[in-house]
Amino acid sequence: MVKKVKSCVFISGNGTNLYSIIKSSRDYSFPIKIELIISNNNNNQKIFEKKCLIELKKREIGFLCLAGFMKILSNNFIKTFGYKIINIHPSLLPKFKGLNTHKRVLIKKEKYTGCTVHYVSSKLDSGNIIMQKKILIKKNETLKSLKKKVLVHEHKLYPEAIRCVFK
Ligand code: GRF
């Protein structure tokens, strides 16, 4: 039996990536166990981060996954947590960092898009890449179809990348 690392997932949206991580974590060989889920409904960043750090410490959390988390964590938070923090972004990073990714990809008439799991650094969507999936964009692709298609790949990629981190 593997000793699973106590982990926390940060979300802001629908939580479908969270769901896929939880599903994978039920496997005995999966390296992490989700002990805590945090969503950001607190407007004050400083207070939010302070409260988070207290909870993370209390529950001995050693790993953090951001899954559609819409706030940028401060340098101080990243440093104070001190352990690994990873994030998923729906593009082929370093291309298309930031918001409205799919829309910008379509406007630019890209042939491929993708999704990327990467370490979190103090710069937005810029930490070292752990795993990446390249996805073909169809000629008649819409914003809705692209978002849906990429998300399906995200749900596979995120658990794979978590396994990769602990190999
Ligand atoms: C995903 O596309 C993720 O890459 C992006 O926000 C979306 C979140 O989806 N950062 P969900 O909340 O996991 O369903």
Side-chain angles (χ1 to χ4, degrees):
M1 183 83 178
V2 233
K3 187 154 183 341
K4 296 184 180 227
V5 177
K6 290 181 185 171
S7 303
C8 171
V9 183
F10 277 37
I11 59 167
S12 304
N14 296 320
T16 62
N17 275 293
L18 163 69
Y19 180 67
S20 94
I21 296 170
I22 290 177
K23 241 171 62 187
S24 302
S25 73
R26 293 193 184 126
D27 188 308
Y28 83 98
S29 69
F30 201 68
I32 67 167
K33 177 174 185 260
I34 308 306
E35 285 275 322
L36 183 66
I37 297 158
I38 292 178
S39 77
N40 66 320
N41 57 7
N42 190 329
N43 284 329
N44 186 313
Q45 175 94 356
K46 253 196 165 162
I47 294 174
F48 170 76
E49 290 191 348
K50 205 174 155 192
K51 280 186 182 167
C52 286
L53 285 168
I54 291 169
E55 286 302 316
L56 295 169
K57 203 170 167 201
K58 200 164 85 189
R59 291 160 204 259
E60 299 175 314
I61 303 291
F63 188 65
L64 258 183
C65 301
L66 311 185
F69 184 62
M70 298 307 283
K71 264 195 180 157
I72 299 173
L73 294 170
S74 73
N75 224 338
N76 178 57
F77 179 92
I78 296 168
K79 265 204 233 146
T80 313
F81 179 63
Y83 300 98
K84 288 183 178 122
I85 308 178
I86 67 171
N87 179 42
I88 190 156
H89 185 74
S91 81
L92 278 178
L93 289 176
K95 287 173 111 177
F96 300 101
K97 297 172 184 175
L99 293 175
N100 301 316
T101 318
H102 301 307
K103 195 176 168 191
R104 288 184 289 128
V105 164
L106 288 177
I107 289 170
K108 273 252 176 168
K109 299 199 184 311
E110 295 284 314
K111 210 171 163 209
Y112 293 96
T113 186
C115 45
T116 307
V117 178
H118 63 94
Y119 287 107
V120 171
S121 71
S122 52
K123 274 197 196 148
L124 180 68
D125 299 327
S126 298
N128 286 345
I129 290 172
I130 301 160
M131 277 182 118
Q132 196 163 55
K133 173 76 187 173
K134 192 172 176 181
I135 302 160
L136 183 71
I137 301 176
K138 288 185 300 188
K139 282 227 167 69
N140 56 351
E141 204 79 68
T142 63
L143 192 56
K144 203 174 156 194
S145 70
L146 187 61
K147 204 171 165 185
K148 201 171 153 193
K149 182 157 83 177
V150 174
L151 203 52
V152 170
H153 287 282
E154 287 184 45
H155 297 157
K156 253 191 97 206
L157 187 74
Y158 214 155
E160 278 174 22
I162 293 170
R163 283 190 189 272
C164 178
V165 166
F166 290 94
K167 252 191 191 145

